[in-house]
Amino acid sequence: MNQPGPPGFAFVLFGGTGDLAMRKILPALYAAHRDGMLAPDGRIISVAMTTLDHSGYLGWVDEHVKPRISGTAIDDGVWRSFLERITYVALDAGQPEAFSVLRETLGAAHGRRIFYLATGPALFVPICSALGTAGLTEGARVVLEKPLGYDLESSTAINDAVGRIFNEEQIYRIDHYLGKEAVQNLFALRFGNSLFEPLWRREWVESIQITVAEELGVEGRGNFYDQTGALRDMVQNHLLQLMSIVAMEPPRSMDADAVRDEKLRVLRALKPVLGEQIRQSVVRGQYHAGAINGVSVPAYHAEPGVRPESRTETFVALKVEVENWRWAGVPFFLRTGKRLGARVAEIVVNFRTVPHSALGPMALRPGSNRLTIRLQPTESIRLSALAKQPGLGMTLQGVYLDLAFDQFFQQDRMEAYQRLLLDVIAGRLALFVRRDEQEAAWRWVAPIIDDWATQDTPPRSYSSGTWGPAAASALLARHNTCWLEEEN
């Protein structure tokens, strides 16, 4: 029996000339096209205010998208066939009457309509309202990029307004970290193997670290970032989502709501951080001038679009606790920042040491048994343990088992955006954030946001190219541990 082909679609990309479209979305759609994963009649309609004709926009795509495509060399014939899918519509998203042009362009397009809002959150409600007025929402799907609001109140207002136009099952709140191959392997590691499940609990886990570090600064996004900061930009979504996957109970299936129900239980079990606990458990920092890979970089205050007196944080480290039977008493240390020592995203599970060692102090050293899940720049899983060194005596040395995906699996890895866009087209919601998850995360970070807004203390300064303020190291030292890069 012949298998059905990929579903037809009309993919409408708002913000079609923007940075996100050029860096991530169109390269991901090209990769899916190149790999034969898109329906032959699938169309891409790019929408933006920029005054371009069709050929002018294709020239823009050729100039800005081609250099961002990774993997194999670009085949000119495949590239031309990809461009044939694209139509450009110049449209002011703030003018509802202009959406008649989009309706005419879509016409009787076959397959599911997908509206991807790669715009600022201020345009989410106007665009969705105009789509509803134009009669384009029935059976459609809408993808909302982060940040979805500025705080719980603004997020709720956006969700309420969008929810009056689209059903929850039509709304795809994207967090691209959930599409990374190593995050998918975290599900496989935990729920496809009996090896780790008995150890994945407070009796055997000493602490867990989750780090998302960047070498880059604000990269021309100073106006946006200075109103956002690391807590809103990274912790409220990426880090808390990764933490919820690490800490969740096994779901009954991989159906969307079964997975998201378990993540929600973790988010609702987070111990509140209030009052003086914020000073003890949260470190905020801001980078000053330094060097990245030998190249001098400016301080945050000197970045274009940043207020000279800004107290916006570019670094956050937190100690988080989950108040349930599996994790009570186990500290989760979350860390993210810009202009740090390396570009890396990883999850580090430190298992407890043996209760008594007959083999010397090495067996009692924290971190002797560890699972490290690397998300970027390369994806891998490493299990560290102790073994005897060759020769006389019983001298222990750290060894590891390493699964490097790019070496073990011969096929090319699928980038996160490619996986997530294909899930939108196919109607798979498991890797997208449900409204109650998002609001639970906002509710947890709200006291920290409010506290910082009333405090006169500025963020702690750290040099670009380092790993953040010294207070972030002290945060872990109080729990007899350290960040992974500090061990060596």
Side-chain angles (χ1 to χ4, degrees):
M1 177 181 290
N2 292 330
Q3 294 292 322
F9 64 91
F11 188 98
V12 181
L13 175 58
F14 288 92
T17 58
D19 181 67
L20 182 62
M22 298 298 112
R23 284 191 303 110
K24 296 294 185 181
I25 301 170
L26 288 175
L29 289 170
Y30 168 77
H33 169 84
R34 176 197 63 204
D35 298 341
M37 305 179 81
L38 298 182
D41 60 348
R43 298 171 57 195
I44 301 167
I45 297 96
S46 285
V47 177
M49 290 182 62
T50 307
T51 304
L52 291 169
D53 58 16
H54 178 68
S55 61
Y57 181 72
L58 294 187
W60 180 281
V61 171
D62 196 78
E63 177 184 354
H64 291 89
V65 174
K66 258 188 174 181
R68 268 80 178 248
I69 293 172
S70 59
T72 58
I74 297 176
D75 180 282
D76 287 341
V78 175
W79 178 251
R80 285 194 299 271
S81 65
F82 173 67
L83 294 181
E84 289 172 0
R85 292 181 181 271
I86 299 176
T87 302
Y88 180 69
V89 175
L91 182 152
D92 184 349
Q95 301 295 325
E97 63 276 9
F99 278 65
S100 60
V101 177
L102 178 60
R103 185 176 59 240
E104 292 171 5
T105 302
L106 285 167
H110 298 292
R112 182 79 60 171
R113 289 173 178 170
I114 296 161
F115 300 107
Y116 197 114
L117 276 54
T119 68
L123 287 174
F124 289 175
V125 173
I127 290 174
C128 290
S129 298
L131 291 172
T133 302
L136 295 173
T137 61
E138 184 176 355
R141 295 170 185 146
V142 62
V143 185
L144 304 179
E145 266 287 350
K146 76 170 188 72
L148 196 69
Y150 184 76
D151 52 19
L152 177 60
E153 183 179 4
S154 58
S155 175
T156 300
I158 292 173
N159 276 318
D160 285 345
V162 174
R164 286 191 287 269
I165 301 156
F166 293 94
N167 297 325
E168 179 65 25
E169 293 74 20
Q170 295 176 275
I171 302 172
Y172 290 69
R173 300 173 189 86
I174 194 166
D175 184 330
H176 72 273
Y177 272 79
L178 300 186
K180 289 182 176 292
E181 194 70 48
V183 175
Q184 304 301 294
N185 265 295
L186 182 57
F187 284 113
L189 185 79
R190 287 202 57 197
F191 307 134
N193 300 283
S194 62
L195 176 63
F196 291 107
E197 174 55 27
L199 306 178
W200 212 264
R201 59 190 65 248
R202 62 185 301 274
E203 291 84 357
W204 302 108
V205 175
E206 183 75 35
S207 65
I208 295 176
Q209 302 174 17
I210 302 176
T211 294
V212 179
E214 299 177 271
E215 291 180 319
L216 297 175
V218 295
E219 301 305 299
R221 299 189 308 147
N223 288 321
F224 159 77
Y225 195 87
D226 205 41
Q227 301 300 318
T228 306
L231 186 68
R232 292 180 174 91
D233 189 44
M234 297 295 292
V235 175
Q236 181 272 332
N237 40 72
H238 297 328
L239 270 74
L240 289 183
Q241 280 292 315
L242 291 175
M243 179 181 173
S244 67
I245 293 173
V246 171
M248 66 188 278
E249 295 296 321
R252 59 177 176 79
S253 71
M254 292 305 291
D255 290 343
D257 281 333
V259 172
R260 298 189 294 181
D261 284 347
E262 298 302 335
K263 288 196 294 171
L264 178 62
R265 290 188 177 97
V266 173
L267 294 169
R268 286 178 171 171
L270 296 180
K271 182 178 180 179
V273 181
L274 306 169
E276 186 57 33
Q277 294 173 328
I278 296 174
R279 259 73 69 199
Q280 297 172 358
S281 299
V282 184
V283 177
R284 63 170 176 157
Q286 187 185 95
Y287 65 81
H288 60 75
I292 302 286
N293 297 322
V295 178
S296 297
V297 295
Y300 176 72
H301 283 133
E303 299 277 13
V306 174
R307 296 163 296 157
E309 74 287 357
S310 173
R311 292 188 173 181
T312 298
E313 77 285 354
T314 62
F315 175 96
V316 180
L318 315 89
K319 189 196 82 167
V320 184
E321 295 182 58
V322 181
E323 295 186 309
N324 62 20
W325 275 47
R326 183 182 288 266
W327 295 113
V330 176
F332 287 73
F333 298 104
L334 312 185
R335 175 178 60 164
T336 186
K338 292 187 175 295
R339 295 289 192 214
L340 296 183
R343 175 179 175 263
V344 63
E346 63 189 5
I347 300 164
V348 179
V349 181
N350 289 310
F351 294 100
R352 296 187 186 277
T353 59
V354 294
H356 169 75
S357 174
L359 304 175
M362 182 67 174
L364 298 175
R365 191 183 73 172
S368 300
N369 300 148
R370 166 185 293 139
L371 185 69
T372 304
I373 302 158
R374 179 65 64 90
L375 308 179
Q376 66 184 30
T378 57
E379 297 173 338
S380 65
I381 295 176
R382 172 176 289 187
L383 177 63
S384 302
L386 294 175
K388 177 189 174 296
Q389 286 185 7
L392 296 174
M394 183 59 70
T395 302
L396 300 182
Q397 179 176 329
V399 297
Y400 55 85
L401 303 173
D402 204 346
L403 172 58
F405 299 125
D406 57 346
Q407 297 178 23
F408 192 88
F409 298 108
Q410 297 303 309
Q411 63 264 44
D412 291 336
R413 294 173 299 150
M414 185 180 292
E415 294 292 337
Y417 267 94
Q418 181 181 348
R419 172 181 287 107
L420 293 173
L421 295 182
L422 289 171
D423 277 0
V424 175
I425 293 169
R428 295 186 288 261
L429 275 160
L431 299 181
F432 295 85
V433 180
R434 203 168 59 193
R435 174 175 178 168
D436 48 9
E437 287 182 80
Q438 185 183 70
E439 292 182 349
W442 273 121
R443 193 169 290 111
W444 186 80
V445 302
I448 304 173
I449 293 173
D450 294 342
D451 181 82
W452 288 353
T454 60
Q455 292 295 319
D456 292 331
T457 306
R460 298 173 186 268
S461 181
Y462 65 95
S463 294
S464 296
T466 66
W467 285 96
S473 298
L475 177 65
L476 272 69
R478 291 197 291 271
H479 296 271
N480 195 34
T481 187
C482 64
W483 298 106
L484 184 59
E485 78 279 350
E486 294 175 336
E487 283 196 351
N488 299 321

